[in-house]
Amino acid sequence: MIHKQTLRLLRFSLITFLFGMGLSNLLFAQDFETYLAGIAQKHQLVGMSAIVVHDGQMVESLHFGKADIERNIPIGKKTMYRIASISKLVTATALMKLYEEGSLDLDKDVSEYLGYQFRHPNHPNAPITAKMLLAHTSGLRDGKGYFDFLKASYGSTPKNISGLLTIEGSYHTSDLWGTEIPGKYFTYANINYGVIGTLIEKISGKRFDLYVKEVILDPLGMDGSFNVSDIANIEDMAVLYRKGIPQADNYGGVSPSRNMDHYIVGSNGLAFAPQGGLRTSAESLGKFMQMHINYGKVEGKQVFDSTTIAKIHEPVWTYSSTGNGNNYHELFNQWGCGAHLITNKPNGDIVIDNLKMVGHPGEAYGLISDMYFNTEHRFGVIFITNGYYRDKGYSYGQRSAFYGPEEETFMAVEQYYYPLISALNQETQEKETFYVSQKDKQVHFTDTPKGTLLIYSLQGKLLRQVTVNSKRISLKEQGACILVHQTEGKVSAVRKVTL
């Protein structure tokens, strides 16, 4: 009889065997590492990092290529990337701490927090709420005024964001708004998170970058910052490239200085790029992902309330064919309070086939990034590249709306890790259904032969699938493997054997 506790022990024993003995590269990830190296080479990526998390463990951390071509600095565990729009989920999580503390009502008119009237010019009687900003249904668009204001925001004396958001503002342009009433229509827009960053400052009374450090980065033990001037070792920064030409974060080992002494807290969250400017390492981002997977818990400490994290993952907007939003070529079909929710639409938002996931993608200056996870299986993947050498940009994938290198990395994780992880996370039936004879290398079934026998290598790769229609099945495999017996779609028994 195999109970859930025994399955957990098997998982723990397997991980201990692979990692505690120092064999992670040799047994658990050798094929996977080779596969990923091939993806990086095929797409001419400058550098690349991949993280796989399962059951509270970071089971994979792989890094390839260059962080800085000119200075010949390799990508490594400490390399910090400007993670682009994954930053939005960090920003959203920071805002939700204020919700958790009772300082923010998600459905309240944000004008009351900002201190001035903030309304859609064509729908002045429709309040805009924090939930709408988080889910990109506020009606805001990244119009010309946004881009002009963004440049001004990164200077030494950032302007007040009211100059962008109000009709009377000098940066306000008509293309900042769609035609639909707020709350009804989805359009992904960076400007929403500039407002969110400002809300965080208005409500907390603290500068955005320092508040995020206080409530997320420090409690989780993450490196990095929304303020590049605060990065301890600028040598760890990955330069971002298109066609092998630097586009951003090309600091040459010299930390940029930015005097924010005269910045007025609550005036303009865009000054710290809450929409895409967090610099952090892939492994640190893995800690953030684990916190979401564990519903706010990190190393036994409840950093966020579980209901707060669940609220972030809860659907706010779902795409309808009747036309309630722009789903960006089937990529964005559902959104929560700051989180992209994967629905597995054909040729669209597929990460791991048929697995519902939560997370966020990112793209900026040649970098593309992804962080997606499933809380039920406590499983997640992170992919980041700092750019490409090739003359053309990224090509799209074959089965999804993601780019080729993203999709192929997801498929590698799906092939090498997910099948066994899925099997080990399922409940087993109460009675044992087979045993293995080492003498004749056969599986002996103790009951009516039925179901499917799945044979995995230790790295999680499916070696063979056999329909069970007799009392005995011969094993042709060599060395250690894991056997999973499934009946009616459920795991009946699991064995780790050495042949």
Side-chain angles (χ1 to χ4, degrees), residues 37-150:
I39 292 171
Q41 182 177 19
K42 172 185 174 182
H43 294 280
Q44 298 179 39
L45 304 182
V46 176
M48 171 178 158
S49 291
I51 303 290
V52 179
V53 167
H54 168 57
D55 203 20
Q57 300 280 339
M58 191 176 295
V59 297
E60 195 56 87
S61 176
L62 294 172
H63 311 276
F64 308 90
K66 300 296 181 183
D68 188 319
I69 298 172
E70 184 179 354
R71 297 190 300 138
N72 198 32
I73 298 175
I75 295 283
K77 290 185 177 183
K78 293 183 179 181
T79 298
M80 280 188 278
Y81 298 90
R82 184 188 191 278
I83 61 171
S85 287
I86 297 178
S87 304
K88 289 184 177 69
L89 185 50
V90 178
T91 296
T93 304
L95 182 72
M96 291 300 286
K97 173 58 78 171
L98 297 171
Y99 161 81
E100 179 181 300
E101 295 170 349
S103 303
L104 170 71
D105 184 337
L106 291 173
D107 298 308
K108 187 176 181 178
D109 184 350
V110 296
S111 298
E112 297 185 34
Y113 298 110
L114 292 173
Y116 49 83
Q117 189 81 336
F118 170 51
R119 294 290 175 87
H120 193 308
N122 299 322
H123 302 283
N125 296 321
I128 294 172
T129 68
K131 186 180 289 184
M132 294 174 190
L133 294 167
L134 288 166
H136 298 279
T137 61
S138 68
L140 282 169
R141 304 286 187 270
D142 290 338
K144 181 181 184 301
Y146 165 73
F147 292 105
D148 291 342
F149 184 78
L150 195 62

Side-chain angles (χ1 to χ4, degrees), residues 128-396:
I128 294 172
T129 68
K131 186 180 289 184
M132 294 174 190
L133 294 167
L134 288 166
H136 298 279
T137 61
S138 68
L140 282 169
R141 304 286 187 270
D142 290 338
K144 181 181 184 301
Y146 165 73
F147 292 105
D148 291 342
F149 184 78
L150 195 62
K151 292 178 182 177
S153 296
Y154 294 157
S156 57
T157 54
K159 308 293 184 181
N160 195 299
I161 199 170
S162 62
L164 174 67
L165 302 180
T166 61
I167 299 176
E168 302 81 12
S170 58
Y171 284 91
H172 191 275
T173 54
S174 60
D175 60 355
L176 287 171
W177 299 96
T179 59
E180 300 80 12
I181 188 170
K184 302 296 185 182
Y185 193 89
F186 173 92
T187 298
Y188 185 90
N190 291 287
I191 187 174
N192 287 298
Y193 280 75
V195 183
I196 290 171
T198 307
L199 279 176
I200 288 173
E201 292 193 341
K202 282 284 190 180
I203 298 170
S204 71
K206 298 176 181 178
R207 213 172 72 186
F208 172 77
D209 59 324
L210 300 178
Y211 182 77
V212 173
K213 179 177 172 62
E214 177 186 315
V215 301
I216 295 179
L217 302 184
D218 285 351
L220 270 58
M222 293 176 64
D223 55 21
S225 176
F226 272 98
N227 187 347
V228 70
S229 299
D230 289 341
I231 301 298
N233 188 358
I234 202 68
E235 294 284 356
D236 292 333
M237 188 69 64
V239 181
L240 307 187
Y241 296 91
R242 291 190 181 107
K243 302 180 182 180
I245 301 170
Q247 305 293 309
D249 286 0
N250 186 25
Y251 297 111
V254 179
S255 182
S257 61
R258 188 183 185 195
N259 187 344
M260 300 297 289
D261 292 344
H262 301 294
Y263 176 74
I264 300 173
V265 173
S267 63
N268 181 10
L270 276 171
F272 303 98
Q275 77 283 8
L278 178 62
R279 275 82 168 181
T280 192
S281 67
E283 287 203 354
S284 281
L285 189 57
K287 294 178 182 179
F288 177 74
M289 182 169 71
Q290 285 172 285
M291 185 272 287
H292 270 269
I293 288 172
N294 296 325
Y295 286 98
K297 186 175 288 187
V298 178
E299 296 180 352
K301 180 182 178 183
Q302 200 73 41
V303 178
F304 278 77
D305 190 87
S306 61
T307 58
T308 303
I309 300 301
K311 190 75 173 177
I312 297 172
H313 303 171
E314 188 178 285
V316 173
W317 170 86
T318 301
Y319 178 70
S320 169
S321 58
T322 57
N324 65 341
N326 181 351
N327 74 345
Y328 293 81
H329 308 287
E330 315 293 348
L331 179 60
F332 295 151
N333 294 303
Q334 196 171 66
W335 215 268
C337 284
H340 178 208
L341 310 182
I342 294 295
T343 67
N344 288 288
K345 193 165 185 178
N347 300 312
D349 56 338
I350 299 172
V351 177
I352 304 298
D353 199 20
N354 294 317
L355 183 67
K356 293 293 183 70
M357 303 187 84
V358 177
H360 213 291
E363 180 178 5
Y365 306 109
L367 172 140
I368 51 176
S369 57
D370 299 281
M371 181 189 72
Y372 288 99
F373 54 89
N374 175 278
T375 56
E376 180 183 0
H377 296 301
R378 303 181 69 214
F379 168 70
V381 57
I382 291 169
F383 165 83
I384 309 176
T385 175
N386 62 326
Y388 55 90
Y389 292 103
R390 61 197 295 174
D391 289 335
K392 296 181 179 179
Y394 300 109
S395 57
Y396 283 100

